[in-house]
Amino acid sequence: MVKTPKTFRYFKKITRSAYKRIKLFVKHRLGWLGVPIIVPYHGYGNGKQLLVSGYVTEDKGIAKPEERHTRWENLLAMIKRYSSDEIPGASVDIRVNGARQEVTTGDTGLFKVRFDSVSAASGTTSEWIPYVATLHSDITGEDREVSTRGEILIPGSNSEFGVISDVDDTILVSHATQTLRKLWLMLWRNSRTRKPFPGVAAFYRALHVGRDGKQSNPFFYVSSSEWNLYDLLEDFCIHNRFPKGVFLLREMKVNVLKFWKSGGGDHQHKYRKIKTLFDTYPKMPFILIGDNGQHDPEIYSQIAEEYPNRILAIYIRVVREKGKYRRLGEIKERLELLGVPMILARDTVEAAHHAIKLNLIAADSEAAVALDAQKDLKDET
């Protein structure tokens, strides 16, 4: 395969950036640009270093999802997620615990900022500390004063481990490797009508409170889905009572004409984000949860090799069986040499049973997982 010259790629990037800015300016002059808003994402930190992100976009006007919404209402909401213009070059002021930084949004409308030496010491239990993001001006040159509040997760001292979980086909039925079925769910369902895998929400709640029911183990949801889907994924987790956590998604590069490619790519961004978590919490062991539909086993194995003695267990949901066992077997054998158990689970009860044996969750939590696992997925086609 012939590689694209760096000069051409750079020129293409500059051209795309200029096109976006001209397009936004024209929309503004014609009165077509929606009201700019800030979407704050959950940040995370270790008491000394805080990582905050979010993005600035024109208001999508997406109605709050309800189970009674029709397929066409869900379709319109999905189109809005991918058609609304993000706003690059916007100046955003971030304030947390008396500290302040100003950051400019990139070409995708995203902003990222790191606070060092900020007083945010963790207590016994995990805490969510507030931050305020304020938009002072946008690419149109207009002065604005739009503020919103976000939250930053600071794990508590009683956290025995952290949990890093994939989303698609791990907690959320997505059919990520079957394009037509994936597209059907994306277009016709919303966060209230999409279904979690049976038992997984109860299993995650058990992991959150730990072996004695008194822990506050932090959760991080790392996905190849784009930030466009942040509102859908967050509401899905709230609605289905998953532990509150930090979402780490992929930068938005998919437009409305190619949104069916959502969740694709080489997935290396997941590897990079997991590495950042391991570096941010150098003394915290982790549990990694994913599926074998894409590349979770390979990514987790690479992390295990680079961070020895930091992974308590890896749970892989088996969603594709044909042609996968040999590859998974080789990875499992390699992990066993590192002292890391990898469980290939066909259902959540099997994973919960193993977690009880490792004393990661309370013994009586298996009954709750088994009850939750009785949910029916027959309508999730």
Side-chain angles (χ1 to χ4, degrees), residues 198-199 203 345-356 366 369-371 373:
F203 180 45
R346 290 172 180 77
D347 60 64
T348 311
V349 176
E350 186 178 348
H353 183 69
H354 179 268
I356 291 172
E366 186 172 4
V369 175
L371 181 63

Side-chain angles (χ1 to χ4, degrees), residues 230-241:
Y230 180 82
D231 68 302
L232 184 150
L233 297 177
E234 183 182 42
D235 191 71
F236 168 83
C237 285
I238 293 172
H239 180 66
N240 290 286
R241 298 174 53 223

Side-chain angles (χ1 to χ4, degrees), residues 215-261:
Q215 313 304 314
S216 53
N217 299 316
F219 268 72
F220 303 91
Y221 300 99
V222 182
S223 172
S224 288
S225 292
E226 292 75 25
W227 287 109
N228 306 61
L229 298 179
Y230 180 82
D231 68 302
L232 184 150
L233 297 177
E234 183 182 42
D235 191 71
F236 168 83
C237 285
I238 293 172
H239 180 66
N240 290 286
R241 298 174 53 223
F242 281 88
K244 183 178 180 179
V246 176
F247 285 91
L248 299 170
L249 309 180
R250 207 176 74 185
E251 283 203 24
M252 296 174 289
K253 294 182 180 179
V254 179
N255 61 37
V256 70
L257 299 178
K258 298 181 180 180
F259 72 89
W260 57 273
K261 292 185 177 181

